[in-house]
Amino acid sequence: MNLQTLCREFSWVGPAVDADGHIVTPWRYDDGDRVVVFVSRESDRWWRLDDNGEALFRLAAAGVDPESTRLQARLAVLPQLLGVRVDEDGEQLVAFADDANLEAGVLAVAEAAAQLQGLAIEPRSRVASVFREQVVALIEAVARDAQIETHRNVPADESQSILADLYLCSKTPIAVFAATSAHRLMEAQMTWLDAQRRAVPLYVLATVESARAVGISQYTRANYYTDKTVEFTEPGALKGLIATQMLH
């Protein structure tokens, strides 16, 4: 892995790294805008981190009821899950971090903002597609030959809100995402990041119909935030990849 390339995906905008500013992250909202985390000094030791109200504003603009059960349920678990909460005005996602935990706090706010974006996606985004069925059926067949148990539509992250299209109960479990959109590809990346943060053994595989379908830059970036992201151009190659990984 090229760590310099990975680090360049994050950019700091501000006068100095020890003063107020904001961090542009690799994650994106559904319209393609980057998720940005604003950083300001609270004291000599503490920082305030927030999303400037972007996540909840975008949900409202998408027609999501701020009092809806699913939104309130998601907001309720953010403090325990990520250490992120909604501010007193009910507008911004906020976290506080000391100098030693600043980086983790920034990632937590960015992850919370990206998770909320998923609530703006209508259930139609989960409608079965020919591509998705091809991927799932092919991998199920490989797993069946190897006598590996599989399950469809399994919650793959700690909050149980992101469903893997297929989950293989191999020695190192495999979560498969048939990414029919850039948003679905982002969910695969969020699942990988969640597993890394919790040190949970999980191999996250994302496959797309074509890199152009989800965006070349999105496809390239995904390989830094999944175990493997591939184009579904040759069924045999995908079979070989899964068969090899099931041995690990």
Side-chain angles (χ1 to χ4, degrees), residues 83-102:
V84 177
R85 61 177 176 80
V86 180
D87 70 355
E88 295 80 1
D89 297 327
E91 297 178 353
Q92 298 181 350
L93 297 178
V94 177
F96 294 89
D98 58 16
D99 291 336
N101 295 292
L102 179 58

Side-chain angles (χ1 to χ4, degrees), residues 6 8 11-12 27 42 45 55 81 95 106 115 125 127 135 141 143 148 160 185 194-196 206 214 221 230:
L6 178 61
R8 281 200 298 268
S11 59
W12 169 260
W27 297 284
E42 283 285 297
R45 181 186 173 195
L81 183 63
V106 168
Q115 284 189 14
S125 67
V127 173
V135 170
I148 298 294
Q160 304 286 283
L185 186 57
D194 176 74
Q196 294 294 305
V214 296
R221 184 179 302 110
V230 297

Side-chain angles (χ1 to χ4, degrees), residues 36-47:
V36 177
V37 179
F38 291 79
V39 181
S40 59
R41 274 285 187 186
E42 283 285 297
S43 67
D44 289 341
R45 181 186 173 195
W46 290 92
W47 296 86

Side-chain angles (χ1 to χ4, degrees), residues 193-202:
L193 285 166
D194 176 74
Q196 294 294 305
R197 177 177 58 82
R198 294 187 291 134
V200 173
L202 182 69

Side-chain angles (χ1 to χ4, degrees), residues 151-163:
H151 300 279
R152 294 191 180 200
N153 301 322
V154 173
D157 66 319
E158 186 176 17
S159 67
Q160 304 286 283
S161 63
I162 301 177
L163 302 181

Side-chain angles (χ1 to χ4, degrees), residues 30 121 125-126 131-132 153-154 161-166 176-191 206-208 214 226:
D30 202 43
I121 306 300
S125 67
R126 294 286 302 150
F131 164 64
R132 176 176 180 271
N153 301 322
V154 173
S161 63
I162 301 177
L163 302 181
D165 292 304
L166 193 65
V176 178
F177 289 81
T180 54
S181 65
H183 179 268
R184 185 61 175 154
L185 186 57
M186 182 180 72
E187 289 187 325
Q189 296 174 70
M190 290 165 59
T191 300
T207 180
V208 301
V214 296
T226 61

Side-chain angles (χ1 to χ4, degrees), residues 163-239:
L163 302 181
D165 292 304
L166 193 65
Y167 186 91
L168 284 68
C169 302
S170 46
K171 183 177 180 181
T172 297
I174 303 172
V176 178
F177 289 81
T180 54
S181 65
H183 179 268
R184 185 61 175 154
L185 186 57
M186 182 180 72
E187 289 187 325
Q189 296 174 70
M190 290 165 59
T191 300
W192 182 84
L193 285 166
D194 176 74
Q196 294 294 305
R197 177 177 58 82
R198 294 187 291 134
V200 173
L202 182 69
Y203 184 92
V204 177
L205 169 66
T207 180
V208 301
E209 287 190 90
S210 73
R212 291 186 179 278
V214 296
I216 299 296
S217 61
Q218 296 276 30
Y219 175 80
T220 302
R221 184 179 302 110
N223 266 298
Y224 290 108
Y225 300 105
T226 61
D227 290 288
K228 192 71 174 178
T229 297
V230 297
E231 289 185 296
F232 187 61
T233 55
E234 174 52 53
L238 183 58
K239 285 182 179 180

